[in-house]
Amino acid sequence: MATPGTPVVLAMRDGLRIRDDHVDTLRRLDLAIHLLTEEEQARDDARYTTVHLLPEATTDRELEERITEALVSTGSPFALTFQETDIVAVGRANSRHGVHWSRPDADAVARDKSRQRAYLTANGLPAPRYRAVGARGADPEVLNHVGLPCVVKPTRGASSSHVELVRTPEEAGAALDAVERLARSGAHHFYDVLPDEWALVEEYLSGEEVTCDGVVIDGRFHLGGVHTKVLPDSPWFEEDLYTLPHGDPGVEDEITAMVQAMVSALGLEVSLFNVELRRDSQGRFRVVEFSTRISGGHVYRNIRDVHEIDLVELFVRAAFGEGGIAERARDRHPGACATCIKFVYRDGIVVSNGVGRAEASSAFAAYYPLAEPGQEVRSAPEGFDLCGLLSVRAPYEPRLHPAQVHRVADEVLRELDVVVAPFGARADGTGRLDTAQPAEGGAARH
């Protein structure tokens, strides 16, 4: 490992709020973190050696230049990111800096779902049927190829934003119009410019969905954890109930072998890696998407707690060229406890959003409030906002898992201080929202 105080560049235009665990690991490794971000609140964060505030709406190319400059000025051996929208700029800057394990072409494939589909097909890896579309929309040939119902999604989105299950040609057209508006807006750093093809229309896979996180060391993929997900019975892919461990070693082995084939085809040597998969109607897993980073939120910390493997630490040590890291990655616990992440969706104006009485529960692990008081939040289809992310722990009992930990999550959720007033609520004489009107609380909307 590098000596204490060794500098690294961390590029996170946004997304810092749900990466506290990732950043704290860098601090625990005694690294001097030089942060590039658009988030004003990071300016006075003592965890960072320096903070360079970027202009709002910094493009990928501009970010690449700023990272390249920071690598030289700080003497950092490499840059890293935990944010999906920044992997391309970081990969290009690392390559320019001479980082031998950097694979910017793989980062570029991972960032564009149309390129992902082409890559998977070319390498004989299981993926949904698809068509990449642009201004001409979903003509009859497209819908005939993928079938109805089908899924419409942005090629460069994140966090399931504007991903919709459609059942008719008219719904497909409306969903594509919404994706085009998103792409033209430049919001969330999804698109700097509008490409010729900005949406995917793809086969709907109706089975179980999982997300897999791990680390690549010397070209070999080492599994961190496989989270099962619960998705609502609606056209919108609002994720909920990320549960760990998966509990079936056979499934973990099957997914690991599939991911290793992807890693080898991409030529990755050292990298974090995430893959989302779904079962088709025959029960076979197919790759929905993948990325050269790991999940945010509580996923990383929960993998560390459940499987006693620290993906960020292993990645950083391997990136510095430390030996013996692969052996450490193989020393993975099958399941020390069970964890569940509950996604808190609401519609209205946030009155309060905090831990409340939940912190007193022995099952409580953490809560990330993602919406401020006074902020308007909207769930699908009007928006894709999250009030927060709740994480809970429970004993790992395979005969009861995962339903047991889901029940625990619902119980702890009711103890959060999450109050959301209806739209149109009036302020009282103090300027506060009049919460005498019915407000949303209790269990999250599914």
Side-chain angles (χ1 to χ4, degrees), residues 78-92:
F78 59 86
L80 70 161
T81 187
F82 306 116
Q83 178 70 354
E84 171 68 23
T85 50
D86 295 344
I87 59 175
V88 170
V90 168
R92 287 174 176 161

Side-chain angles (χ1 to χ4, degrees), residues 160-346:
S160 298
S161 178
H162 288 74
V163 179
E164 183 177 354
L165 175 65
V166 300
R167 294 178 170 82
T168 67
E170 292 75 22
E171 289 180 356
L176 286 168
D177 287 345
V179 174
E180 182 176 9
R181 290 193 294 273
L182 172 72
R184 291 186 182 279
S185 74
H188 312 300
H189 300 295
F190 289 169
Y191 298 85
D192 289 340
V193 296
L194 189 69
D196 292 335
E197 296 174 329
W198 33 260
L200 283 185
V201 179
E202 68 181 26
E203 173 188 9
Y204 172 58
L205 306 176
S206 57
E208 172 192 27
E209 181 168 333
V210 301
T211 187
C212 168
D213 290 277
V215 61
V216 181
I217 302 168
D218 297 330
R220 301 300 301 175
F221 175 76
H222 298 273
L223 177 65
V226 176
H227 279 81
T228 55
K229 300 181 184 181
V230 171
L231 298 175
D233 183 21
S234 79
W236 307 99
F237 289 78
E238 287 186 324
E239 299 172 326
D240 197 8
L241 296 173
Y242 273 48
T243 307
L244 197 70
H246 185 277
D248 187 336
V251 169
E252 292 184 343
D253 291 344
E254 175 188 357
I255 290 173
T256 298
M258 190 182 302
V259 178
Q260 180 60 57
M262 299 170 60
V263 164
S264 297
L266 286 166
L268 295 177
E269 182 180 352
V270 176
S271 179
L272 295 166
F273 206 70
N274 168 265
V275 186
E276 298 195 1
L277 309 100
R278 264 194 172 228
R279 294 189 188 272
D280 61 19
S281 58
Q282 282 73 50
R284 299 168 300 193
F285 275 117
R286 299 204 217 172
V287 178
V288 175
E289 59 185 70
F290 60 88
S291 185
T292 50
R293 48 93 186 154
I294 57 171
S295 300
H298 305 280
V299 170
Y300 157 61
R301 195 270 324 284
N302 285 355
I303 289 173
R304 198 172 62 196
D305 290 346
V306 171
H307 294 298
E308 299 180 356
I309 180 172
D310 192 321
L311 297 177
V312 172
E313 178 178 352
L314 293 173
F315 164 70
V316 170
R317 290 185 180 277
F320 276 116
E322 183 176 334
I325 303 305
E327 288 76 12
R328 290 180 58 179
R330 286 192 287 267
D331 187 20
R332 175 179 174 270
H333 195 291
C337 64
T339 61
C340 182
I341 305 167
K342 180 74 177 175
F343 287 54
V344 183
Y345 297 101
R346 294 289 187 272

Side-chain angles (χ1 to χ4, degrees), residues 406-422:
H406 292 176
R407 175 183 56 76
V408 170
D410 284 334
E411 290 173 354
V412 177
L413 174 67
R414 289 193 286 271
E415 300 302 310
L416 291 175
D417 177 27
V418 178
V419 179
V420 179

Side-chain angles (χ1 to χ4, degrees), residues 78-140:
F78 59 86
L80 70 161
T81 187
F82 306 116
Q83 178 70 354
E84 171 68 23
T85 50
D86 295 344
I87 59 175
V88 170
V90 168
R92 287 174 176 161
N94 276 335
S95 182
R96 290 170 59 178
H97 197 57
V99 178
H100 71 89
W101 47 259
S102 180
R103 298 293 184 271
D105 290 343
D107 298 324
V109 170
R111 186 67 197 104
D112 189 304
K113 294 180 179 62
S114 63
R115 295 184 65 178
Q116 285 188 27
R117 294 293 179 271
Y119 155 82
L120 292 167
T121 301
N123 287 278
L125 294 162
R129 295 190 304 274
Y130 78 99
R131 285 285 188 269
V133 301
R136 69 187 181 94
D139 62 26

Side-chain angles (χ1 to χ4, degrees), residues 417-432:
D417 177 27
V418 178
V419 179
V420 179
F423 291 116
R426 296 179 180 179
D428 62 18
T430 67
R432 298 174 181 171

